[in-house]
PDB file of all heavy atoms in Angstrom:
ATOM      1  N   GLN A  84      -4.651  17.499   7.775  1.00 95.00           N
ATOM      2  CA  GLN A  84      -3.335  16.883   8.445  1.00 95.00           C
ATOM      3  C   GLN A  84      -3.144  15.465   7.844  1.00 95.00           C
ATOM      4  O   GLN A  84      -1.807  15.058   7.662  1.00 95.00           O
ATOM      5  CB  GLN A  84      -3.536  16.665  10.114  1.00 95.00           C
ATOM      6  CG  GLN A  84      -3.631  17.825  10.718  1.00 95.00           C
ATOM      7  CD  GLN A  84      -4.064  17.559  12.105  1.00 95.00           C
ATOM      8  OE1 GLN A  84      -4.446  16.448  12.520  1.00 95.00           O
ATOM      9  NE2 GLN A  84      -3.899  18.575  13.078  1.00 95.00           N
ATOM     10  N   VAL A  85      -4.136  14.905   7.272  1.00 94.00           N
ATOM     11  CA  VAL A  85      -4.010  13.477   6.767  1.00 94.00           C
ATOM     12  C   VAL A  85      -3.036  13.652   5.466  1.00 94.00           C
ATOM     13  O   VAL A  85      -1.934  12.899   5.361  1.00 94.00           O
ATOM     14  CB  VAL A  85      -5.191  12.883   6.365  1.00 94.00           C
ATOM     15  CG1 VAL A  85      -5.017  11.607   5.422  1.00 94.00           C
ATOM     16  CG2 VAL A  85      -6.169  12.697   7.454  1.00 94.00           C
ATOM     17  N   GLU A  86      -3.303  14.516   4.427  1.00 93.00           N
ATOM     18  CA  GLU A  86      -2.522  14.603   3.336  1.00 93.00           C
ATOM     19  C   GLU A  86      -1.222  15.255   3.501  1.00 93.00           C
ATOM     20  O   GLU A  86      -0.020  14.861   3.065  1.00 93.00           O
ATOM     21  CB  GLU A  86      -3.196  15.581   2.317  1.00 93.00           C
ATOM     22  CG  GLU A  86      -2.660  15.530   0.957  1.00 93.00           C
ATOM     23  CD  GLU A  86      -3.411  16.070  -0.174  1.00 93.00           C
ATOM     24  OE1 GLU A  86      -4.648  16.409   0.095  1.00 93.00           O
ATOM     25  OE2 GLU A  86      -2.964  16.242  -1.244  1.00 93.00           O
ATOM     26  N   GLU A  87      -1.170  16.169   4.505  1.00 94.00           N
ATOM     27  CA  GLU A  87       0.123  16.921   4.819  1.00 94.00           C
ATOM     28  C   GLU A  87       1.152  15.888   5.527  1.00 94.00           C
ATOM     29  O   GLU A  87       2.402  15.812   5.267  1.00 94.00           O
ATOM     30  CB  GLU A  87      -0.070  18.052   5.775  1.00 94.00           C
ATOM     31  CG  GLU A  87      -0.933  19.263   5.078  1.00 94.00           C
ATOM     32  CD  GLU A  87      -1.357  20.101   6.195  1.00 94.00           C
ATOM     33  OE1 GLU A  87      -1.174  20.027   7.389  1.00 94.00           O
ATOM     34  OE2 GLU A  87      -2.184  21.155   5.838  1.00 94.00           O
ATOM     35  N   SER A  88       0.721  15.037   6.397  1.00 95.00           N
ATOM     36  CA  SER A  88       1.538  14.120   7.243  1.00 95.00           C
ATOM     37  C   SER A  88       1.992  13.050   6.259  1.00 95.00           C
ATOM     38  O   SER A  88       3.161  12.601   6.274  1.00 95.00           O
ATOM     39  CB  SER A  88       0.747  13.396   8.393  1.00 95.00           C
ATOM     40  OG  SER A  88      -0.401  12.736   7.925  1.00 95.00           O
ATOM     41  N   LEU A  89       1.093  12.535   5.352  1.00 93.00           N
ATOM     42  CA  LEU A  89       1.625  11.435   4.456  1.00 93.00           C
ATOM     43  C   LEU A  89       2.561  12.089   3.501  1.00 93.00           C
ATOM     44  O   LEU A  89       3.525  11.317   2.977  1.00 93.00           O
ATOM     45  CB  LEU A  89       0.380  10.863   3.632  1.00 93.00           C
ATOM     46  CG  LEU A  89      -0.737  10.033   4.577  1.00 93.00           C
ATOM     47  CD1 LEU A  89      -1.842   9.650   3.840  1.00 93.00           C
ATOM     48  CD2 LEU A  89       0.146   8.836   5.185  1.00 93.00           C
ATOM     49  N   LYS A  90       2.358  13.309   3.011  1.00 92.00           N
ATOM     50  CA  LYS A  90       3.275  13.827   2.110  1.00 92.00           C
ATOM     51  C   LYS A  90       4.817  13.907   2.684  1.00 92.00           C
ATOM     52  O   LYS A  90       5.728  13.588   2.214  1.00 92.00           O
ATOM     53  CB  LYS A  90       2.833  15.283   1.703  1.00 92.00           C
ATOM     54  CG  LYS A  90       3.636  16.053   0.570  1.00 92.00           C
ATOM     55  CD  LYS A  90       3.056  17.179   0.197  1.00 92.00           C
ATOM     56  CE  LYS A  90       3.846  17.989  -0.944  1.00 92.00           C
ATOM     57  NZ  LYS A  90       3.225  19.354  -1.326  1.00 92.00           N
ATOM     58  N   TYR A  91       4.761  14.511   3.958  1.00 92.00           N
ATOM     59  CA  TYR A  91       6.003  14.487   4.824  1.00 92.00           C
ATOM     60  C   TYR A  91       6.646  13.202   4.957  1.00 92.00           C
ATOM     61  O   TYR A  91       7.760  12.903   4.842  1.00 92.00           O
ATOM     62  CB  TYR A  91       5.807  15.319   6.052  1.00 92.00           C
ATOM     63  CG  TYR A  91       6.909  15.189   7.017  1.00 92.00           C
ATOM     64  CD1 TYR A  91       7.910  15.824   6.793  1.00 92.00           C
ATOM     65  CD2 TYR A  91       6.765  14.391   8.183  1.00 92.00           C
ATOM     66  CE1 TYR A  91       9.236  15.732   7.696  1.00 92.00           C
ATOM     67  CE2 TYR A  91       7.768  14.229   9.115  1.00 92.00           C
ATOM     68  CZ  TYR A  91       8.988  14.962   8.739  1.00 92.00           C
ATOM     69  OH  TYR A  91      10.030  14.839   9.765  1.00 92.00           O
ATOM     70  N   LEU A  92       5.795  12.223   5.476  1.00 91.00           N
ATOM     71  CA  LEU A  92       6.319  10.849   5.783  1.00 91.00           C
ATOM     72  C   LEU A  92       6.768  10.103   4.541  1.00 91.00           C
ATOM     73  O   LEU A  92       7.698   9.299   4.695  1.00 91.00           O
ATOM     74  CB  LEU A  92       5.212  10.085   6.582  1.00 91.00           C
ATOM     75  CG  LEU A  92       5.068  10.582   7.999  1.00 91.00           C
ATOM     76  CD1 LEU A  92       3.804   9.956   8.550  1.00 91.00           C
ATOM     77  CD2 LEU A  92       6.339  10.262   8.913  1.00 91.00           C
ATOM     78  N   ASN A  93       6.154  10.431   3.430  1.00 87.00           N
ATOM     79  CA  ASN A  93       6.677   9.647   2.175  1.00 87.00           C
ATOM     80  C   ASN A  93       7.965   9.964   1.835  1.00 87.00           C
ATOM     81  O   ASN A  93       8.778   9.200   1.373  1.00 87.00           O
ATOM     82  CB  ASN A  93       5.696  10.030   1.038  1.00 87.00           C
ATOM     83  CG  ASN A  93       5.997   9.092  -0.200  1.00 87.00           C
ATOM     84  OD1 ASN A  93       6.159   8.003  -0.114  1.00 87.00           O
ATOM     85  ND2 ASN A  93       5.942   9.822  -1.435  1.00 87.00           N
ATOM     86  N   VAL A  94       8.441  11.286   2.195  1.00 83.00           N
ATOM     87  CA  VAL A  94       9.836  11.702   1.956  1.00 83.00           C
ATOM     88  C   VAL A  94      10.691  11.069   2.961  1.00 83.00           C
ATOM     89  O   VAL A  94      11.901  10.442   2.711  1.00 83.00           O
ATOM     90  CB  VAL A  94      10.027  13.184   1.862  1.00 83.00           C
ATOM     91  CG1 VAL A  94      11.351  13.609   1.654  1.00 83.00           C
ATOM     92  CG2 VAL A  94       9.221  13.804   0.600  1.00 83.00           C
ATOM     93  N   ARG A  95      10.370  11.255   4.258  1.00 79.00           N
ATOM     94  CA  ARG A  95      11.187  10.884   5.414  1.00 79.00           C
ATOM     95  C   ARG A  95      11.344   9.463   5.470  1.00 79.00           C
ATOM     96  O   ARG A  95      12.393   8.952   5.744  1.00 79.00           O
ATOM     97  CB  ARG A  95      10.488  11.423   6.713  1.00 79.00           C
ATOM     98  CG  ARG A  95      11.141  10.921   7.961  1.00 79.00           C
ATOM     99  CD  ARG A  95      10.546  11.708   9.230  1.00 79.00           C
ATOM    100  NE  ARG A  95      10.714  10.898  10.530  1.00 79.00           N
ATOM    101  CZ  ARG A  95      10.526  11.498  11.576  1.00 79.00           C
ATOM    102  NH1 ARG A  95       9.885  12.705  11.677  1.00 79.00           N
ATOM    103  NH2 ARG A  95      10.741  10.779  12.761  1.00 79.00           N
ATOM    104  N   GLU A  96      10.140   8.652   5.271  1.00 79.00           N
ATOM    105  CA  GLU A  96      10.348   7.282   5.597  1.00 79.00           C
ATOM    106  C   GLU A  96      10.341   6.566   4.237  1.00 79.00           C
ATOM    107  O   GLU A  96      11.087   5.425   4.118  1.00 79.00           O
ATOM    108  CB  GLU A  96       9.142   6.714   6.391  1.00 79.00           C
ATOM    109  CG  GLU A  96       8.874   7.414   7.518  1.00 79.00           C
ATOM    110  CD  GLU A  96       9.878   7.127   8.675  1.00 79.00           C
ATOM    111  OE1 GLU A  96      10.628   6.202   8.449  1.00 79.00           O
ATOM    112  OE2 GLU A  96       9.980   7.974   9.625  1.00 79.00           O
TER     113      GLU A  96
END
Side-chain angles (χ1 to χ4, degrees):
Q84 294 173 348
V85 175
E86 192 168 350
E87 290 164 7
S88 62
L89 291 176
K90 187 176 179 182
Y91 167 71
L92 288 171
N93 188 40
V94 174
R95 172 172 163 172
E96 308 292 341

